[in-house]
Each structure stands twice: as C-alpha cells, then as structure tokens.
Amino acid sequence: MSWELAGAIYLVVMTLLLVGGVWIAIALGVVGVVGLLIVNPSLVAGIESVAWNTIESFVLTAVPLFLFMGAVIMNSGVSARFYRGLTPWLARVPGGLAQSNIVACSIFAALCGSSVATAAAIGAIAIPEMRTRGYDMRMTTGTLAAGGTLGILIPPSIPFIIYGSTVGESVGRLFTAGVVPGVILTLAFMAFLGVQVWLHPGLVPRETGVVTWAMRLRALLDLVPVVLLIVLVLGGIYAGVMTPTEAAGVGAAGALAVAALYRGLTWPVLKRSLLETVRANAMILFIVIGAQIMSFALVSAGIPRGVVAAISDLSASRWMVFTFIVVMYLVLGCLVDALSLMLLTLPVVFPIVQAQGFDPIWFGVVLVILLETGLITPPVGINLFVIQGMSGEPLGRVAAGSFPYVVLMLLAIVLLAFFPGLALWLPAKMF
Amino acid sequence: MRDRFVGFAAALNRLGAAVACVALGALVVLITLQVVRRRLLGAPIVYTDEVSGYLLVAVTFLSLGYALQHGDHIQVEFLTGRLAPRRLRWLRVSWCLIGLGFTGLLTVRTAVLALDSARLGAFSITSQVPLAPIQAVAPLGFALLFLQLAARLVETLWPPR
C-alpha cells in the first residue's frame, strides 16, 4: 500500500474518532492499531513494547513531579499568599492588580509546568479581588487566560518535557531556550496592558489606598520563599547541578517544605495534591502512549518519509513551509487541546522541520508558543473555559479580552523567525 | 447488581490511585535523596534512574482508571455536546466499546510482555530485580481502566433512575 493511501486512511479514521468524541489518548492509539493492521498485522505484537518503553522513562518522571510541585503550591495557599505579596509592589504600575495577574502568572509558571494550573491558581485569587475593586472584567479575564499560557513556555514546562522526550532533544536546553522568549512575552503582555489602561483609564479603578515601604517589605515574607524555590529548581538546572528530573524532585520536596513553613501542609492538602497529580499525570502520559503507538504505525507505513520527500519535490522555500506549519497549528489549535495537538502532529511535522534545516530547540520554542495561542482561542481554548468557569463571564467576553494576547504571541513568533538567537543564545551559553 | 458492579470498579480504581500516590511519594523521596547523596556526599544511588522509571510506571498505569472515573481523560466535545440526549447516549456507548477494545488489547499484549519476562527469567540491568512483577503493573493498570470503561458502559446503558 502506498504511503499516500495509508495516510489518507489514518486521517479519515483519526478525524472520525476525534470529532466523534472518543477520548484523545484512545483515539490516537486506535488509529495506530488500525494503521498497523493495514500495513503489517504482525506489528500489532509490538505495541506492548511501545507502551512499556514510553512510560519506563527517567525523563518523563519529571512530569508528575512538576505537577505535584504546582499542586502543593496551589492547594496549600502558598500561591494566594504570593499573589497578595506581589500586589503592593505593583500597585503604582499602570494597570495595578491586572499587572499583578501577568507577573504572578509568569512567576507561578516557573513553579508548575501547566497553563491550566497557572490560570486556575491565579484566577481563583484574582477574580474575586478585582471584581470587588471594580476592574473591567473583560480585561481582567483576558490577562488571566493569556497570563496562564505562560505556564507552558516559562520553564519548567510539561510540553517541553514531552517534546524533548518525543524528538530526542535535551529537556534542559529546551527549558533554557524558553527563558528569553518567556520574559519577552511577559514584558510584551505588561506593556500592552499599560498602553490599554493609558488609552482607556476607565478599565481600572482609581487606587486610593496608600502603599508604604513598610507594607512592601512585609509583603516580601510572602514572596521570598517562593522565589527561593524557583531559584533552587531553575538555578539547579541552569548551573548544571541537577537534571530537569532531579530538579523536579527537589522542587516537589521544596514545595512541601514551603507549604509546611506557611503552615499550609495538612493531610487533606497533601491527599488532594497527590490525587490531583496522579490523575493529571495519567491523562497526559496516556496521550503520550497513544501518540507513540500512532507514531509507530506512521513510521511503519513510511508516511513521515513520504511527506518530507513530497515537500522537497514542491521546491517550496523553507519559510513558506514554516508559514504553512504555523497556520496549520493556529487552525488545529482552535480544535484540539495543546498537548494532544503536539503529539498528534510531531511524527509528521518534526521530520519536515528537520529536513528544512530548522533548529529543533528553536522549533520547540515556536511550537510551544503556537500551542499557547490554542489555549486562548475558541472553541476549545482550555484556559478560556477555566477563567469563564471561575468568573461566570460569557465565553465570548473572555475570548475577546484574550485576543490581543494571541496577536502578541504571533508577533513573538515573527520575532523568533527573524532573530532565532532569542531562543538559542542562552542554551548555547549554558550547555 | 448494576450498582454493585459500578461500586466495585470505583473501589478498585481508588485502590489503584492510592498505590499510585504512594509510588509518587516514593519518587519524590528517591530523587531528592539521589541529589543530596550525589551532590553533598559524593555517593550517588546507582539504580535511581531505573527505579524512577519503575515508579513512574506505577504512578501512571495504576491511576488510568481513576482518571477516567473523574472525567480527566480529554475528549474533543465541541461537536458532540450539541447532540440530542438519545443520540449522545449511543455515541457514549460507542466510545466505551472502542475504549474497551483498545484497552483490552493493551491489557493482553502487556500481560504477554510480563509473562515472557517471567518465562525467560529476565532481570533489570542495574538493580538486578526480576522484571516480570514490575512489568505486570502495566496490564494491571490497563485492566483497571478496562473495568472502569465497562462500568461507564453499564451506567450509560442502564442509567440510574
């Protein structure tokens, strides 16, 4: 059977299963099994090795550990204290508490690798506070949904771990590559917010309270332990003292210590954090298993090789191919959740990217920013749902508030295309 | 009968999740100990990488069914959410049947892997522990997911009044 026909069959089966609502992990795995049955039924006997080798992995061990670190910080009330500690420091910046949302999201992103957890952690604290003070809710929900997306770009990042383990790139280099673009995006979000508030002062209430230096210094008590934890985790990776997995383990232990320090580590908090972690980890890694089975089938049918050869025959410029990939992710990102989309497409897209001579680390950063846009574009932008559920605002209003940030993310991709060094300079210096 | 079966599946999956939580705790302790011993005492635990992988196996596979029980496995629902309840019910039945087929296959295939290791007397490379009992966690986890899918199917076909 030709790779074109096999590819067409895979695509039809996949679309039917996904649109039909089958669990994504199972849909990917079923496409893989059907594909293997078509290409060579005896290969089905290899799926147990694929499932086992996928999960029995030291690199992927970082996934539940970082999830656990985030869950402990969120459930023990440490994230709430941190947000309140940040407020006096940003009270005089144009945008006030709305700026706290973005800064808190970017810092919380450095404690957990998940966008949903970031948006949920900061949203739960910020929304009631900002509503009471009279902040515009479209702007507020937009900052939270978009700020939350930074969770997967600023290291540690679950998608970077999965990407690294799938394509065989160093997770440490990917983490390092995400730092500068993450900081640029955070500053761009803050600058946009500042301009928005300058143009429309009615969006934020007039802050009447006096913020003294004594209040700021007291707030440091809520900030310093969290910042030290971030320095321990990320500093350990960047200094080459720890691997990302080791940093995740130490980070999880450190999160427990910080929670205990604030007297937030109770048995219900620990139990809830453990159970939330094993559930989220099972969901993520089951998708990885399904995707690996599908990838096994795709490679067995020669599809990635065929697609790469076909694109080479088109003689299209590498930037034309890149633009096509970006548009494809933007469209699919509206329909499929971020991690599934990455795993669904990488077996075909990554060989194309390599054949076109793009740096895999650079592409990993671009890919994660593209996935971020999918988190805040309807109909399946998961961060929109999280913030909508918490705020009770209509989905369209949350999406409208988030839209300017999608444009900023696309600008960041253009910037990365012109200046790849923004992602590659730091890893080159450190590794 | 229906309630007893659904309750039985839920209880077993809660047990699986509890063991997964213990494995997660062990993972945190093991990795932290490894960093402390390697960096501060200069005496690394040689089998950390291997045992971490095994603990991840337990954390992941034993909570697959529990995640389903709590609705954590992701679906693309923006089209199916608009279907009439009757059609949606039959669609849900088809999801469960497809899921049962896939997890059933994985249960059998991963059990074959564990049985082969037992037959060959395979041991892990570094820690020299028998592989079969560790590999048996995979079919156990898939069987728990299978059971939870079966419970979901039963609940969909015979909903509680």
Side-chain angles (χ1 to χ4, degrees), chain B residues 61-141:
Chain B
F61 287 117
L62 295 179
S63 46
L64 287 173
Y66 187 71
L68 180 72
Q69 200 183 325
H70 287 264
D72 290 316
H73 291 300
I74 301 175
Q75 297 168 276
V76 178
E77 282 177 303
F78 67 95
L79 286 176
T80 56
R82 293 171 191 172
L83 288 176
R86 194 180 155 81
R87 284 191 178 173
L88 186 58
R89 185 176 166 220
W90 287 110
L91 196 63
R92 283 188 174 142
V93 169
S94 69
W95 297 344
C96 292
L97 291 174
I98 291 169
L100 284 168
F102 180 61
T103 49
L105 177 68
L106 279 172
T107 308
V108 172
R109 293 307 319 169
T110 48
V112 168
L113 183 74
L115 288 171
D116 281 349
S117 293
R119 192 168 44 81
L120 297 168
F123 282 78
S124 68
I125 299 164
T126 318
S127 54
Q128 286 297 305
V129 293
L131 269 179
I134 301 163
Q135 288 180 330
V137 174
L140 190 64

Side-chain angles (χ1 to χ4, degrees), chain A residues 20-21 24 48 241 246 279, chain B residues 38-39 72 74-75 95 109:
Chain A
I24 290 176
E48 63 270 28
V241 176
E246 288 174 343
R279 280 163 47 196
Chain B
R38 186 161 63 86
R39 284 287 152 193
D72 290 316
I74 301 175
Q75 297 168 276
W95 297 344
R109 293 307 319 169

Side-chain angles (χ1 to χ4, degrees), chain A residues 366-387:
Chain A
V366 170
L367 177 60
V368 166
I369 298 176
L370 284 168
L371 298 179
E372 282 186 273
T373 65
L375 293 167
I376 51 173
T377 44
V380 290
I382 197 154
N383 277 22
L384 298 179
F385 291 123
V386 170
I387 298 300

Side-chain angles (χ1 to χ4, degrees), chain A residues 6-337:
Chain A
I9 294 171
Y10 287 16
L11 200 62
V12 170
V13 175
M14 169 105 66
T15 309
L16 282 175
L17 292 175
L18 288 181
V19 172
V22 175
W23 295 278
I24 290 176
I26 291 176
L28 297 180
V30 169
V31 171
V33 172
V34 170
L36 292 172
L37 287 172
I38 293 171
V39 175
N40 182 353
S42 66
L43 290 175
V44 174
I47 65 167
E48 63 270 28
S49 299
V50 175
W52 174 258
N53 292 331
T54 300
I55 300 303
E56 197 255 303
S57 148
F58 185 65
V59 175
L60 286 183
T61 305
V63 173
L65 293 172
F66 278 131
L67 288 172
F68 183 57
M69 181 167 100
V72 170
I73 292 288
M74 191 161 85
N75 292 327
S76 64
V78 172
S79 54
R81 289 184 71 134
F82 180 76
Y83 182 83
R84 294 196 183 105
L86 209 55
T87 310
W89 288 92
L90 294 169
R92 292 286 166 261
V93 180
L97 270 186
Q99 295 285 15
S100 305
N101 289 350
I102 290 172
V103 176
C105 280
S106 65
I107 296 175
F108 192 75
L111 284 171
C112 84
S114 153
S115 284
V116 175
T118 304
I122 305 302
I125 315 148
I127 289 169
E129 187 92 17
M130 294 177 78
R131 179 172 278 143
T132 311
R133 295 189 188 203
Y135 277 80
D136 177 80
M137 286 314 283
R138 186 171 117 161
M139 180 196 70
T140 300
T141 52
T143 58
L144 289 165
T149 65
L150 295 168
I152 57 170
L153 179 62
I154 295 176
S157 153
I158 303 291
F160 274 150
I161 299 170
I162 307 281
Y163 176 85
S165 77
T166 306
V167 304
E169 285 297 330
S170 151
V171 175
R173 282 172 66 91
L174 284 162
F175 276 8
T176 316
V179 173
V180 174
V183 171
I184 289 175
L185 260 185
T186 305
L187 293 176
F189 285 6
M190 290 180 75
F192 166 76
L193 188 61
V195 172
Q196 192 183 22
V197 170
W198 181 61
L199 291 174
H200 308 283
L203 293 174
V204 298
R206 192 179 293 273
E207 292 286 351
T208 50
V210 178
V211 180
T212 62
W213 276 101
M215 288 164 75
R216 287 197 181 102
L217 291 175
R218 257 201 311 277
L220 281 181
L221 287 175
D222 291 330
L223 298 179
V224 169
V226 174
V227 172
L228 284 178
L229 184 60
I230 293 169
V231 170
L232 177 72
V233 172
L234 298 185
I237 298 170
Y238 300 150
V241 176
M242 293 183 274
T243 65
T245 304
E246 288 174 343
V250 171
L256 290 170
V258 171
L261 184 75
Y262 286 138
R263 299 181 190 281
L265 189 63
T266 58
W267 170 241
V269 164
L270 184 62
K271 185 179 161 191
R272 189 175 163 193
S273 302
L274 284 166
L275 286 172
E276 278 179 7
T277 302
V278 295
R279 280 163 47 196
N281 174 69
M283 179 273 287
I284 292 170
L285 294 190
F286 193 30
I287 295 175
V288 177
I289 293 173
Q292 290 296 337
I293 293 173
M294 186 192 72
S295 180
F296 179 40
L298 286 172
V299 172
S300 303
I303 292 172
R305 202 177 53 237
V307 172
V308 169
I311 288 177
S312 302
D313 291 346
L314 284 176
S315 308
S317 80
R318 65 201 289 254
W319 290 108
M320 205 183 284
V321 174
F322 176 72
T323 308
F324 175 77
I325 290 172
V326 169
V327 172
M328 181 195 79
Y329 275 109
L330 287 176
V331 173
L332 291 180
C334 295
L335 305 171
V336 184
D337 93 284

